[in-house]
Amino acid sequence: MTEIISAIEKIAIEIYEAIKTKDTGKVESQNASGDVQVKLDVISDEIVEKYLLNVSSVREIISEEKEKPITKNSGKYLVAYDPLDGSSLIDVDLSVGSIFGIYENDYKGSDIKAAVYVVYGPRVEMVIARDVVEMFRLNEKTHEFYFVKELKLKEKGKILAPGGTQKNWYPFHKEMIDNFFKEGYRLRYSGGMVPDLHQILNKEGGLFAYPATTDKEKGKLRKLFEVFPFAYVYKKAGGEAVDGYRDLLSLDYENYHDTTPCFFGSKEEIRKVLNTYKENK
Ligand SMILES: O=P(O)(O)OC[C@H]1O[C@](O)(COP(=O)(O)O)[C@@H](O)[C@@H]1O
Ligand SMILES: [Mg+2]
Ligand SMILES: [Mg+2]
């Protein structure tokens, strides 16, 4: 596992360099989810592949940007990754990220054994979730990551990241979100999953929601590359992560690019989500 983490450190430094220097334009191609790709999606994916395929303990990798996995004939771990999450935000200079789920045997929620994400913002920060959740920061002079703090969620927070197109929210979901705001929660949503979830962890509580909507019954965020890794991080940080009804890490998948509605947050906020969804099943 440590050789995977040191590979991700090198990946983060190289992607950060690419973000600062490369063209943010779009390419003709689309990824496996049908998203239009920006050049940096492709460049970032190539950087991840270059390093991860050279790690002896990695047997297989699969990218959000590719249809199928790349398999070697030895190694213990499977890595599912989003090389550049929120890439459409780069040309407005907002923070973006990379997400890595480290699995054994398969890519079900219960197969995930660790998760790592990187935030490319005013600083570069890396969060590693194993038994606990630890945050590191890049020293841009020495090119080394140094430990900053452990990330823990309190029972309840004060900020809310309500994703999805609001005109397509189910009425009961809209009422639940409105009630949080009536309780005084502050809106904190950038459209970048990584910085939005990183903010809640650093503020020690709150709720991120990307629900089922009338136009996207299964939500938008991808199980293997985005949802299971962050579910692992939030649960290890003392929070919860559900699809509205079930623990996200209890979910299986059918296709590599399956999406799911997802809620990540402090225990109290997730209890409210579960109660609301149960009443409106
Ligand atoms: O623009 P929307 O519908 O709110 O969706 C925002 C979500 O989509 C994403 O940008 C999808 O990420 P990708 O850039 O990897 O496709 C997430 O980062 C973010 O949480
Ligand atoms: Mg993504
Ligand atoms: Mg992406």
Side-chain angles (χ1 to χ4, degrees), residues 31 33 35-36 41 64-65 82-89 96-97 99 162-165 189-197 208 210 216 220-222 226:
N31 68 12
S33 303
D35 303 333
V36 173
D41 281 321
E64 178 187 275
E65 300 302 330
D82 179 353
L84 198 58
D85 180 81
S87 46
S88 56
L89 299 173
V96 292
I99 312 166
T165 306
Y189 192 78
S190 74
M193 179 185 198
V194 174
D196 289 343
L197 286 166
F208 174 101
Y210 206 107
K216 290 189 178 125
K220 171 182 182 181
L221 299 174
R222 284 139 288 215
E226 299 165 319

Side-chain angles (χ1 to χ4, degrees), residues 138-149:
L138 178 66
N139 175 327
E140 293 192 43
K141 290 191 175 55
T142 63
H143 272 202
E144 280 169 1
F145 283 90
Y146 59 92
F147 175 75
V148 176
K149 61 178 176 179

